[in-house]
């Protein structure tokens, strides 16, 4: 599948299988970051739970955070979008969901139910998405996690309208603060 969409107008300039669904992998993190940016301030503190750190596939992308580490939403977004850190995706999902009810949010994220932890489907529908289902905030393998090229173009178009998202993804180097595994 592939799509070229005019970012200003939303007009599809080229498309191939744009409504077929595929496993999205880490491109899911674009939607995760968009939701986080709409619900959090960059200076909020995110605490990494055991579930956030270890509810990932072995050898998947990580920024080296461990249970009990804390980081700002800003640092987590840089880890998420530049390092593709799966534990940052989980911790951010818990943080956003926990803003209303910490226990319910952590339980939903622990079960891998991103759609329950954050109003992911409502946001996707608001953007006009019709072919997608999100089962986690990172894009790790899950049969119930899929997206179309068209929906992903809509999500990405909306993300680039957010100046903070645009600034993060154009960054070529960002030094994360120390954590337990990386004290330097």
């Amino acid at each position: 599948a592939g799509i070229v969409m005019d970012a200003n107008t939303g007009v599809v300039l080229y498309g191939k299988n744009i409504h077929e669904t595929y496993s999205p992998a880490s491109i899911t993190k674009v939607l995760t970051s968009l939701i986080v940016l709409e619900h959090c301030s960059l200076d909020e503190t995110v605490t990494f739970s055991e579930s956030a750190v270890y509810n990932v596939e072995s050898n998947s992308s990580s920024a080296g955070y461990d249970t009990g580490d804390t980081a700002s939403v800003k640092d987590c977004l840089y880890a998420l979008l530049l390092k593709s850190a799966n534990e940052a995706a989980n911790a951010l999902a818990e943080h956003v969901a926990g803003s209303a009810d910490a226990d319910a949010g952590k339980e939903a994220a622990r079960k891998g139910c991103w759609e329950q932890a954050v109003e992911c489907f409502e946001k996707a529908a608001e953007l006009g998405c019709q072919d997608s289902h999100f089962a986690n905030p990172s894009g790790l393998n899950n049969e119930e996690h899929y997206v179309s090229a068209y929906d992903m173009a809509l999500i990405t178009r909306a993300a680039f309208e957010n100046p903070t998202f645009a600034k993060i993804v154009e960054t070529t180097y960002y030094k994360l603060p120390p954590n337990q595994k990386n004290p330097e």
Side-chain angles (χ1 to χ4, degrees):
I3 190 167
V4 176
M5 179 182 281
D6 183 295
N8 294 319
T9 65
V11 172
V12 175
L13 303 173
Y14 168 81
K16 179 178 179 181
N17 300 325
I18 65 173
H19 293 287
E20 296 294 320
T21 57
Y22 300 92
S23 177
S26 287
I27 200 163
T28 300
K29 293 170 180 150
V30 173
L31 179 59
T32 298
S33 63
L34 182 59
I35 292 169
V36 169
L37 287 165
E38 291 179 355
H39 287 86
C40 302
S41 67
L42 296 177
D43 61 350
E44 291 177 27
T45 300
V46 175
T47 301
F48 287 79
S49 70
E50 182 177 351
S51 177
V53 173
Y54 294 104
N55 189 19
V56 297
E57 295 172 8
S58 62
N59 299 318
S60 65
S61 299
S62 169
Y65 289 107
D66 204 353
T67 304
D69 280 337
T70 60
S72 68
V73 166
K74 176 183 174 183
D75 289 336
C76 288
L77 285 168
Y78 274 93
L80 177 74
L81 293 169
L82 299 184
K83 184 79 171 139
S84 196
N86 293 309
E87 82 277 23
N90 289 343
L92 285 165
E94 289 180 356
H95 181 75
V96 172
S99 62
D101 181 343
D103 292 333
K106 287 179 182 175
E107 181 61 23
R110 187 177 299 108
K111 291 179 180 176
C113 300
W114 178 232
E115 69 271 22
Q116 293 174 13
V118 178
E119 296 175 2
C120 180
F121 289 115
E122 287 80 5
K123 182 61 184 174
E126 172 189 320
L127 297 174
C129 298
Q130 301 174 10
D131 308 312
S132 303
H133 185 274
F134 300 94
N136 61 63
S138 62
L140 290 176
N141 294 321
N142 185 313
E143 289 181 14
E144 296 300 315
H145 195 87
Y146 51 85
V147 69
S148 70
Y150 182 78
D151 286 0
M152 207 61 242
L154 294 176
I155 293 166
T156 304
R157 181 174 176 236
F160 273 106
E161 290 175 359
N162 183 297
T164 303
F165 176 88
K167 180 182 178 186
I168 292 170
V169 297
E170 74 181 15
T171 301
T172 56
Y173 179 82
Y174 186 82
K175 186 175 181 178
L176 291 171
N179 59 43
Q180 291 178 61
K181 291 182 182 176
N182 301 297
E184 69 286 350

